[in-house]
Amino acid sequence: MDLTSYAVLRVFVAAIQALPLSACESAARALAWLAGDVLRLRGRLVESNLRIAFPAASDAQRRRIARRMWRHLFLMVAEIAHTPRKIHRTTWRSWCTLTGEEAVVRRVLDHRPVVLISGHFGNFELGGYLLGLLGFPTHTVARPIDNPFVDRFVNRFRGKTGQHILPKQGSQADVERLMQRGGALTLLGDQAALHRGCWVDFFGKPASNHKAISLFTLSFSAPTLVIGVRRTGGPLEYQIATRAVVDPLEAGFAYPTTPLLTQWFTHELEAIIREAPEQYWWVHNRWKGVPPQRRSSKPAAPHTAVGATDDSVPHA
């Protein structure tokens, strides 16, 4: 079954690659109408998420955001299939623009470790791909796909330009070695960690975040950047922008604790999403769980130190 599923995927990817991007864009628009308006895939979750994030928006405005989100997601799949053929060292300027790249280059070339935080926004896969293409290898923690053939196929794409994948389970020692030798770690900062996490405000509602992200920054005094990969036009046209930077070794560092630092990068991700809400994954159940202090029936489970269990490491 795994091999059959992999073969179907490869045929599907080959079919996408055989189409021009303009055709992929038209197909994405049609599929968005089918998924969002007709089939109502994850409709309740998407509607609930948008009501939380934009309570003042009308129903028509939220439906429009949802439809455009589906278009973006379907088009993103096609873009990933086309990326290895379209984006090279000599062509990337035709597709992507960089904003605030000086901060990224300066930090990555330093001898110190660096943490790059993004979210389920825009084409975050393209961000890691392009950084590797420009000669800045990164490491990303990711949960292996259940199908081993598909997992190897996806990781070959991610590693094509130097984006190295670390497994979510059992990667604590690898991450520590990476940080000690001054490597670059990229993480998604908007994944729910439930009762193990650090609860902060996200669009006005408590959301759980993995504590490991902030602990990597604070434990290794690593400069930390929040980056967004935002669609600016047609297929594969993106702006990769550095939203904000903090450095624990700079004077006046205002986020010396896990809650403060987690709230900082969560706030920055929220600001990025507000600029183009149709490019966020509202199908993602971000507000999962209940803050421990709001539970009345059972005491909170004892917290295990970050890094002691595999669940403590967020994945991208």
Side-chain angles (χ1 to χ4, degrees):
M1 287 300 298
D2 285 344
L3 187 59
T4 300
S5 300
Y6 169 68
V8 171
L9 174 64
R10 291 303 302 267
V11 171
F12 175 69
V13 170
I16 292 177
Q17 292 173 333
L19 296 172
L21 281 172
S22 58
C24 294
E25 184 177 22
S26 298
R29 188 176 294 109
L31 289 172
W33 169 78
L34 179 64
D37 295 351
V38 178
L39 300 179
R40 295 279 298 164
L41 296 180
R42 299 180 72 85
R44 291 184 179 178
L45 177 60
V46 172
E47 173 65 19
S48 174
N49 287 343
L50 288 174
R51 284 186 180 277
I52 292 171
F54 305 105
S58 66
D59 291 342
Q61 289 173 324
R62 285 191 288 266
R63 284 195 299 269
R64 185 161 54 250
I65 292 174
R67 187 183 304 113
R68 291 177 177 176
M69 175 207 68
W70 282 112
R71 173 188 173 275
H72 167 74
L73 293 182
F74 285 121
L75 186 54
M76 178 181 169
V77 172
E79 290 170 336
I80 292 174
H82 278 270
T83 293
R85 298 185 176 189
K86 298 287 188 182
I87 298 183
H88 308 282
R89 289 187 178 182
T90 58
T91 63
W92 68 267
R93 291 179 180 83
S94 300
W95 302 98
C96 304
T97 59
L98 302 179
T99 302
E101 65 273 20
E102 298 88 352
V104 178
V105 172
R106 185 168 59 252
R107 302 299 184 181
V108 174
L109 291 180
D110 197 356
H111 65 280
R112 298 166 58 197
V114 62
V115 177
L116 307 174
I117 301 176
S118 186
H120 290 85
F121 174 83
N123 192 337
F124 51 89
E125 291 283 358
L126 181 61
Y129 186 92
L130 189 59
L131 276 175
L133 187 68
L134 297 177
F136 304 121
T138 61
H139 286 71
T140 299
V141 179
R143 185 185 71 82
I145 299 172
D146 294 333
N147 186 322
F149 301 102
V150 176
D151 184 65
R152 285 195 293 269
F153 176 62
V154 171
N155 286 340
R156 278 199 303 271
F157 162 78
R158 288 172 166 171
K160 186 177 180 65
T161 63
Q163 184 183 18
H164 305 287
I165 306 301
L166 300 174
K168 182 182 179 183
Q169 296 186 356
S171 63
Q172 176 198 352
D174 292 329
V175 172
E176 289 181 354
R177 283 193 293 269
L178 170 70
M179 301 300 281
Q180 288 169 357
R181 67 172 185 259
L185 181 66
T186 61
L187 298 167
L188 293 178
D190 60 343
Q191 299 183 97
L194 299 179
H195 63 282
R196 296 179 184 272
C198 176
W199 291 84
V200 295
D201 179 83
F202 184 59
F203 282 97
K205 183 175 179 178
S208 175
N209 285 68
H210 286 276
K211 297 178 181 179
I213 300 177
S214 295
L215 289 178
F216 289 146
T217 297
L218 299 174
S219 299
F220 296 95
S221 298
T224 299
L225 298 82
V226 178
I227 297 176
V229 186
R230 176 183 176 182
R231 185 189 303 282
T232 57
L236 273 180
E237 295 179 0
Y238 282 90
Q239 178 191 64
I240 302 176
T242 301
R243 169 78 190 186
V245 184
V246 295
D247 188 340
L249 295 186
E250 288 185 350
F253 176 62
Y255 313 102
T257 66
T258 294
L260 287 174
L261 188 59
T262 303
Q263 183 63 76
W264 168 77
F265 71 72
T266 300
H267 173 77
E268 297 299 336
L269 288 175
E270 178 182 326
I272 291 173
I273 295 166
R274 287 185 181 278
E275 294 176 355
E278 72 281 358
Q279 295 186 36
Y280 188 63
W281 291 31
W282 299 109
V283 294
H284 171 54
N285 191 0
R286 184 64 188 89
W287 291 276
K288 189 186 301 183
V290 179
Q293 64 270 23
R294 297 189 180 185
R295 298 174 186 166
S296 57
S297 58
K298 296 190 298 182
H303 176 66
T304 304
V306 171
T309 68
D310 295 329
D311 291 338
S312 65
V313 181
H315 64 90

